Structure formats: structure tokens, C-alpha cells
Amino acid sequence: MEIRFNPIQLNSISAFVNIHSHSNKEQRQVYFVRTDGAGTKLLSDVSAADHTMSYDDNTAYCRLVRLESLSDPAMIKEYLKKYNDIRDGRNDVFSQYPELSAEIAEQLRKLLEQLHADEPNMNETAERNMSVQLLYRIEKYLPELLLQRKNKHCKLIYSGCSKNSEFLFGYLAAMLGIDTLILMPEGKGHISEKLLRNCAEIHYGDYEKVTFPEFRPVISSEKTRTEQKRSEPKKSSPVKLNIPPHPERKSVPATIGNETATKADNVRRERSYEELAALAESVVMIIILDETGEPVASGSGIAVHKDGYILTNCHVVQKSHGLCVRIENDDEIYDMVDIIKYHPLFDLALIRIDRKMPPLPVFDGRRQLRRGEKVFAIGSPMGLFNSVSDGIISGFRTINDNDMIQFTAPISHGSSGGALLNSYGEVIGICTSGIDEGQNLNLAVSYKQIRDFASNVIK
């Protein structure tokens, strides 16, 4: 199986938390990252990661403050035998975890082959000592994560890494399909540059010593109690009220703006924040590939027809050598992407994948949009899959004869091609750019251009 490290570039611990690895029969895509330095946000970002992943039922998470070294002679002898068995081609070295044993043995052999290619002068004693520590740490810390890979996203964060053997623990964990982040506030220490080449770097400022707090896993009962506390209303003393009888009246449907609110989903009505966020299932991440097939950037796209038609920006697809599409709650990567048509002046493109998708409706212009209206942006900024933000329409612009909507909902690089929605869940624009020098100065191609460009497929 081919291992592809860091298919999307990450720039924060939050990005590491929110993006996930992917595997199929031919390839394993995994995130292997290190922090460099000890900026003021490092501890708070680690604490936020602990909280987010501890309460996420779809994530199996482990954070280690230090890696224990093996020193007991009897146990060293035991793991030395495992190492010799693996070198001799045996796979059944972990009798307690028979479903993991063959894979761990295979990946360790691959890692050793790579080390010999990088360091041809590495002697047998150094390899043996390093492998014994690796096998001990893998069996001590990782089986619980590895056994949950089929059903959950697996994340490992650890600190106390300054030697090659400590770094290789994370390397092997990533090779086994665990997204791994190494905290290195004092820098890379004595770790060789060749080892670091597959480990992406997140800069966190100047080097200094940091004491990370111990991580205490949250057990299910604690999660339940916390959720109950959050949902339980505060109790107050009962108050008796004398309410006079009210004359009977006929029920009248509530109205929102000029629209009648009903419970029927097929009636146009204002949506709650949660309902609008749920529309993210119709917004995709588009991964842009270079001439070698490697991911170099990402953008977003909007499903506009149930048969897999996706609207995005022309600049997202125009200079790519290949595209892949990822969909929320779908582990498959769709790499057979047809470019149906594009329009550089409108900055719009229509692509198609072989998959049924729920389309988003495009606003039909039944009334004029107004400055100050609430809007919601859904896209994948900086590779953070389907982030949702809100704001208002702050203006209407004409740029190169195109109608553009200026809005304040935050977007970043990677949001291009994402959806700009009104409060009814209708696409009023497609996010196309932001002005880096300004704050929340963002632009979207108007629904008018979208309707002109894709009138034959839009809902």
C-alpha cells in the first residue's frame, strides 16, 4: 500500500483536529505534522484539541506527554525476539492483537528499509535498539487507536520528542493510518533532516521549554453527564400566575418576512442555523493536483443537480492537471472528474462526478437582495472541510461587468467555489475571493451569473 503524507497543507492545530486521513486498497492518505516553537497560543490550542476530540464520538484520540523507554531486561529480551521474528519475515509477533500483528510487522520492515536507504551506514546494533523501543511503544500506546480505524478517525498527539527513536514512533503511527501531531516547542533537537521530510511543519514562534498538562481521557459516563448538564435548564422557584381567559381565535399561519412558515420541507421558509449548517452535505471539497498527481491546493464546490453536477470557480479548475472530489460523510475520493464547461469572465465552472447528490436550490431573484441581509458561507478554507460562517451582505459591486455580492461572512483560501446562502438555504452567490489586506472584505459571483451559466442543470 502506498503511503501519501499530508495531502492538504495544514497551518494550525485546529486544522489538524478537523481534517481526517483516508485509506483505500491502493493508497493511505495520512496527516503527519509537527509544531515548531512555543507561541502564546500553543497550550490553549492543545487544550482546545483535547476538548474537541474527547467529546467527538467519531474520533479516537490519544495525547501523550512523554514516551516511556523500555529498560527492564526481561522485557527487552521479549521485544528483541519480536524484532528478530519480524526481520525473519514472521508476522504473528503480537499474539494479543492478531488482527494488527501482520500490518505492524509489514510497516516496520518498510520503515527499516527507508532508514537504510537514508542512512546506509546505520549499524545493526542501532537498528536493533531502535526497533525494540519502537515495538514496545507501539504495543503500549497504539492498539486501542488501531482497533478503531474502521469506524472512527484516529488522532495521536504527543510531546517529549528530541531523538530519532522518539520521532520514529510518530512516523510509524502515521504509516499505520493514525493522523499524528508531534509537539516540538524546543525545536527539532537531534532529529535528522531526512527523517523530517515527510513531516509537515506548523510554526508556533520562538523556541522555549513548555510543560504540557497530562491528558485524562473522558469516559462515556462523563460525556453523558456533561451533555445532560448542558441541556438541563436552570431550576427556579415556581411562580403562580392568574391568567385571565382569552377569547377564542382562529389559528393563523406564522409569517416570516413575506413568506408563510410551515413545517413542510418543500415550502420556502427561513431556516435555523442548524438547518443551514446541515446543507453542508451538498458542498464538496475539490482537491487540485499537479502534473505528478500530487495535491497542491484545494477549493470548494456546490452540488446543483442530483446527478453529480457541481458548480465551482473557473480559477479552481482552470490551471489544474487533475481534480479529486471529497464529500462530507463519504470516505471515498472521487478522482474521475469531468469538466463540463467553464466561463473565465464569470469565473464559473461546471464539473461532474459519478455520484448522486442532494442539490442546493439557486435563488430565483423573486425579490431584490438588500444590504444588511443575513448570509451564510459554506466551504473548505485552508482544507478545513465544510466550515460554516455567517455575516451580512455589505454591498453590491460591478467588477469587470460582472455582478458581485460583497459580504462579511469570513472565508479564506480554499473557500473559492463555496456556497453563499440566504436564510432560506438558497444559493445567492458562489464565493470567489477575499481581500487579504482588509477584514471580511469578501466577494461572491451573483446568482444572476450562475443562472445564466448553468440554467440547464440548476434546481
Side-chain angles (χ1 to χ4, degrees):
M1 177 183 289
E2 178 192 357
I3 307 293
R4 175 176 285 182
F5 292 97
N6 306 311
I8 302 295
Q9 183 66 40
L10 306 182
N11 67 346
S12 67
I13 292 177
S14 175
F16 173 81
V17 170
N18 287 286
I19 202 162
H20 305 298
S21 59
H22 171 80
S23 297
N24 55 38
K25 292 181 180 179
E26 290 80 30
Q27 186 182 85
R28 172 175 288 152
Q29 295 186 353
V30 67
Y31 292 88
F32 182 38
V33 192
R34 73 183 191 275
T35 61
D36 183 62
T40 55
K41 291 186 62 182
L42 181 61
L43 282 173
S44 61
D45 284 356
V46 171
S47 176
D50 285 348
H51 183 272
T52 298
M53 292 192 283
S54 295
Y55 286 93
D56 182 359
D57 290 333
N58 295 315
T59 298
Y61 174 55
C62 174
R63 182 168 66 81
L64 307 170
V65 171
R66 67 193 65 82
L67 297 179
E68 184 178 314
S69 295
L70 182 59
S71 57
D72 179 76
M75 292 186 68
I76 290 175
K77 184 177 181 180
E78 176 187 337
Y79 281 94
L80 183 58
K81 182 180 185 306
K82 294 181 189 293
Y83 160 71
N84 289 327
D85 287 345
I86 290 174
R87 288 303 305 266
D88 292 338
R90 291 188 59 181
N91 291 331
D92 55 340
V93 294
F94 293 105
S95 57
Q96 189 175 352
Y97 306 104
E99 62 271 62
L100 302 176
S101 187
E103 185 181 4
I104 293 173
E106 177 189 359
Q107 295 302 335
L108 179 61
R109 284 191 286 263
K110 286 184 178 180
L111 181 58
L112 293 177
E113 287 175 11
Q114 181 178 323
L115 288 176
H116 278 291
D118 291 342
E119 303 288 344
N121 296 323
M122 183 175 67
N123 61 49
E124 184 177 345
T125 301
E127 177 189 315
R128 181 177 63 246
N129 292 341
M130 179 197 65
S131 298
V132 165
Q133 295 293 342
L134 266 178
L135 289 170
Y136 168 69
R137 289 165 175 163
I138 291 292
E139 187 170 25
K140 179 176 178 64
Y141 297 119
L142 297 187
E144 185 176 346
L145 290 183
L146 293 172
L147 291 170
Q148 298 182 75
R149 286 174 300 173
K150 289 184 179 180
N151 303 315
K152 295 189 176 185
H153 308 300
C154 295
K155 301 281 186 179
L156 168 68
I157 298 178
Y158 71 97
S159 50
C161 175
S162 60
K163 301 176 183 178
N164 283 348
S165 60
E166 294 163 339
F167 178 83
L168 288 171
F169 167 73
Y171 205 150
L172 187 53
M175 292 176 70
L176 291 165
I178 298 172
D179 290 334
T180 302
L181 171 65
I182 308 175
L183 303 172
M184 305 178 74
E186 298 178 69
K188 63 184 180 181
H190 302 292
I191 299 167
S192 70
E193 290 294 338
K194 288 182 179 179
L195 283 182
L196 292 171
R197 68 178 181 271
N198 285 322
C199 187
E201 186 177 291
I202 301 173
H203 294 284
Y204 261 90
D206 297 333
Y207 299 138
E208 62 180 84
K209 188 172 183 179
V210 173
T211 301
F212 293 98
E214 296 284 347
F215 170 67
R216 186 176 68 87
V218 178
I219 59 176
S220 299
S221 59
E222 288 178 330
K223 289 185 182 182
T224 304
R225 285 198 299 270
T226 302
E227 290 166 0
Q228 287 175 344
K229 286 180 181 178
R230 287 174 179 169
S231 60
E232 286 175 0
K234 292 182 178 179
K235 294 182 179 180
S236 58
S237 302
V239 177
K240 293 183 179 180
L241 296 177
N242 293 320
I243 303 176
H246 195 286
E248 280 191 17
R249 61 181 180 183
K250 295 181 179 179
S251 60
V252 178
T255 60
I256 305 174
N258 295 323
E259 304 294 334
T260 300
T262 77
K263 292 185 179 180
D265 287 338
N266 59 350
V267 174
R268 185 173 183 268
R269 61 181 177 82
E270 284 195 316
R271 312 265 174 171
S272 68
Y273 276 37
E274 291 81 4
E275 288 175 307
L276 289 163
L279 299 177
E281 67 178 339
S282 299
V283 181
V284 306
M285 178 189 289
I286 300 173
I287 302 169
I288 301 157
L289 310 176
D290 64 13
E291 62 272 16
T292 67
E294 291 293 319
V296 292
S298 67
S300 305
I302 308 166
V304 291
H305 189 280
K306 63 181 178 61
D307 290 331
Y309 288 91
I310 297 167
L311 185 72
T312 186
N313 285 136
C314 182
H315 75 261
V316 170
V317 305
Q318 194 171 26
K319 295 182 180 180
S320 67
H321 291 266
L323 300 170
C324 294
V325 172
R326 296 201 65 177
I327 302 170
E328 190 165 87
N329 299 321
D330 185 345
D331 287 335
E332 185 172 348
I333 294 179
Y334 296 87
D335 55 6
M336 300 297 291
V337 181
D338 297 322
I339 298 178
I340 306 302
K341 62 177 181 176
Y342 57 90
H343 195 305
L345 183 60
F346 287 173
D347 195 17
L348 293 174
L350 190 67
I351 64 176
R352 185 178 181 274
I353 61 173
D354 186 17
R355 187 190 190 275
K356 298 290 185 183
M357 299 179 65
L360 288 177
V362 177
F363 181 59
D364 60 6
R366 67 182 67 189
R367 62 170 178 78
Q368 189 172 354
L369 297 177
R370 297 182 296 271
R371 186 183 290 110
E373 278 190 48
K374 287 183 180 179
V375 292
F376 303 81
I378 304 177
S380 299
M382 309 303 291
L384 299 178
F385 205 176
N386 280 359
S387 299
V388 182
S389 59
D390 66 334
I392 61 168
I393 295 176
S394 53
F396 302 92
R397 312 296 173 200
T398 301
I399 300 176
N400 297 328
D401 295 326
N402 284 335
D403 290 326
M404 307 289 287
I405 300 172
Q406 181 184 336
F407 61 98
T408 64
I411 63 172
S412 300
H413 300 291
S415 296
S416 291
L420 185 67
L421 306 175
N422 62 13
S423 57
Y424 296 92
E426 299 165 328
V427 177
I428 62 170
I430 182 167
C431 303
T432 187
S433 64
I435 301 173
D436 292 337
E437 291 78 9
Q439 186 173 4
N440 288 346
L441 297 180
N442 307 312
L443 296 171
V445 178
S446 170
Y447 68 92
K448 298 175 184 177
Q449 272 79 17
I450 294 174
R451 284 196 161 273
D452 287 344
F453 172 73
S455 59
N456 57 327
V457 297
I458 60 177
K459 181 179 175 183

